[in-house]
Amino acid sequence: MVARQTLYTFVKYINTFDRRYLISLALCLELLIAWGDYITGPLAPFAHFYLIPITCSAYFLGKRWTFIITLLAIIAGIPVFLQPLKSGQLMPLMLDLTSKTIIYLFFALLVSEMRKLMDTLKELASEDPLTRANSGRYFYEFGSTEIARAQRSKQPLTLAFIDLDNFKDVNDTLGHQQGDALLVEIATTIKANLREGDILGRLGGDEFAILLTQTDQQQAKVILSRMQANLLNAVHPYDTRVTFSIGVVTYLADKPTSMKELVALADKAMYVIKKSTKNAIQYSDT
Ligand SMILES: Nc1nc2c(ncn2[C@@H]2O[C@H](COP(=O)(O)OP(=O)(O)OP(=O)(O)O)[C@@H](O)[C@H]2O)c(=O)[nH]1
């Protein structure tokens, strides 16, 4: 249990790293292992350490970089074998090099495929089956990672809490099925207004939230005004009184400190609108 929790925390922490940083880290580690391998010679099992950058890149960096890191590990092993060539041990050394190559490739492929499978399972578990928005749990998890990233890179991050107004009327007058169809329409419209890297979560029956990465309040105003207009257009054919109360909070480098806090502040801002005019956007200054 402790081991699993530690591994989970480690993976989550590594996931917040910039990709270029991870690539540099893997290459430096390989260089260090190559040096150790050369120093200790072909009879010491030092080369096993190559499995660390190989499996880590297979998990975190995708196929292309796994291939490069694996290839480099194989190439880096060659000078080690050239050392005792004079003593006529070519055959067993060639066999050793071949077996290492097979093992490296096997682990690289295994971890890559496992990661792919895990991503698919996670995707299935992380999606709301009706609207195909992310589940609340996934949204919180993703948001926590983004907060850590924003904290490190000193980039702003904006969260908008969207609550539908008068949605109950749709169910009551048009039926639950039409209500479902409207929710799907709304989620599709929101997603169409998001950029790559932003995400949509369904936090409750008629409550959605979006996370706009690297977005300050000024930029959020442009995105959300356009989104609100598009949402009103999308619900128009349903002939309902459905509108949108939206609360917005921008995270600035050090606060709020958690996703829970960020959502609570956006919810509070949304509530100000809900209790007054409805159908508007409230920006909170945290
Ligand atoms: N069709 C459908 N309805 C849902 C679903 N989940 C929740 N609801 C309904 O959404 C409604 C949400 O309640 P409220 O937020 O109080 O309704 P509202 O009319 O939007 O109220 P205000 O937010 O005050 O304007 C309830 O009637 C729920 O039954 C769903 O998956 N499908």
Side-chain angles (χ1 to χ4, degrees):
M1 187 67 191
V2 176
R4 201 200 305 164
Q5 194 60 38
T6 312
L7 188 68
Y8 179 73
T9 312
F10 171 75
V11 169
K12 220 172 144 199
Y13 180 65
I14 297 287
N15 267 332
T16 67
F17 281 42
D18 187 73
R19 197 179 150 75
R20 273 171 302 183
Y21 182 64
L22 280 182
I23 292 169
S24 318
L25 211 64
L27 290 173
C28 286
L29 188 60
E30 259 200 342
L31 207 66
L32 204 69
I33 295 167
W35 175 73
D37 195 19
Y38 189 78
I39 297 287
T40 51
L43 295 178
F46 206 86
H48 294 162
F49 286 114
Y50 280 119
L51 285 176
I52 298 173
I54 290 172
T55 49
C56 284
S57 55
Y59 191 85
F60 294 107
L61 296 174
K63 277 219 165 91
R64 195 160 68 98
W65 273 100
T66 307
F67 177 73
I68 295 170
I69 300 278
T70 308
L71 194 69
L72 286 178
I74 296 165
I75 294 169
I78 293 174
V80 182
F81 289 100
L82 294 180
Q83 290 173 21
L85 263 187
K86 301 147 204 153
S87 54
Q89 293 173 310
L90 182 63
M91 198 55 192
L93 290 176
M94 285 308 288
L95 281 175
D96 196 49
L97 184 65
T98 313
S99 65
K100 271 179 190 154
T101 305
I102 293 170
I103 289 170
Y104 293 165
L105 289 174
F106 173 76
F107 272 93
L109 205 68
L110 182 74
V111 177
S112 292
E113 288 306 313
M114 271 170 60
R115 172 70 200 243
K116 227 190 311 176
L117 189 69
M118 267 176 64
D119 284 347
T120 312
L121 290 175
K122 214 166 159 189
E123 212 175 285
L124 288 175
S126 67
E127 214 173 66
D128 164 44
L130 175 67
T131 62
R132 315 213 60 179
N134 293 289
S135 66
R137 187 172 166 205
Y138 180 85
F139 186 78
Y140 272 82
E141 216 172 279
F142 180 90
S144 305
T145 308
E146 284 307 313
I147 285 181
R149 200 196 302 275
Q151 225 158 15
R152 259 206 314 277
S153 61
K154 305 270 178 261
Q155 294 274 1
L157 177 76
T158 295
L159 188 139
F161 193 106
I162 306 167
D163 189 291
L164 275 56
D165 306 319
N166 315 312
F167 180 67
K168 196 170 172 301
D169 290 358
V170 181
N171 282 337
D172 293 347
T173 55
L174 303 175
H176 208 270
Q177 225 171 353
Q178 281 295 299
D180 280 358
L182 189 62
L183 287 173
V184 173
E185 183 75 45
I186 287 165
T188 309
T189 307
I190 296 175
K191 274 199 243 174
N193 281 271
L194 297 181
R195 305 152 309 173
E196 205 180 327
D198 300 340
I199 69 157
L200 165 70
R202 187 180 180 198
L203 303 190
D206 66 346
E207 292 170 351
F208 293 91
I210 54 173
L211 199 66
L212 304 169
T213 53
Q214 297 178 17
T215 307
D216 62 20
Q217 199 182 75
Q218 249 356 75
Q219 295 164 310
K221 278 183 180 169
V222 177
I223 297 169
L224 293 171
S225 307
R226 190 184 54 221
M227 182 181 292
Q228 192 195 24
N230 289 340
L231 281 170
L232 291 172
N233 278 337
V235 299
H236 186 71
Y238 287 79
D239 196 20
T240 69
R241 293 192 304 127
V242 168
T243 51
F244 304 88
S245 291
I246 305 175
V248 187
V249 175
T250 297
Y251 165 89
L252 290 165
D254 58 349
K255 67 177 191 161
T257 52
S258 69
M259 195 53 188
K260 208 170 148 197
E261 220 179 311
L262 198 63
V263 173
L265 284 169
D267 186 21
K268 202 168 139 197
M270 181 281 295
Y271 208 66
V272 173
I273 297 294
K274 186 68 84 180
K275 286 290 136 201
S276 54
T277 58
K278 292 189 176 178
N279 189 26
I281 308 177
Q282 171 80 19
Y283 292 89
S284 161
D285 287 321
T286 62

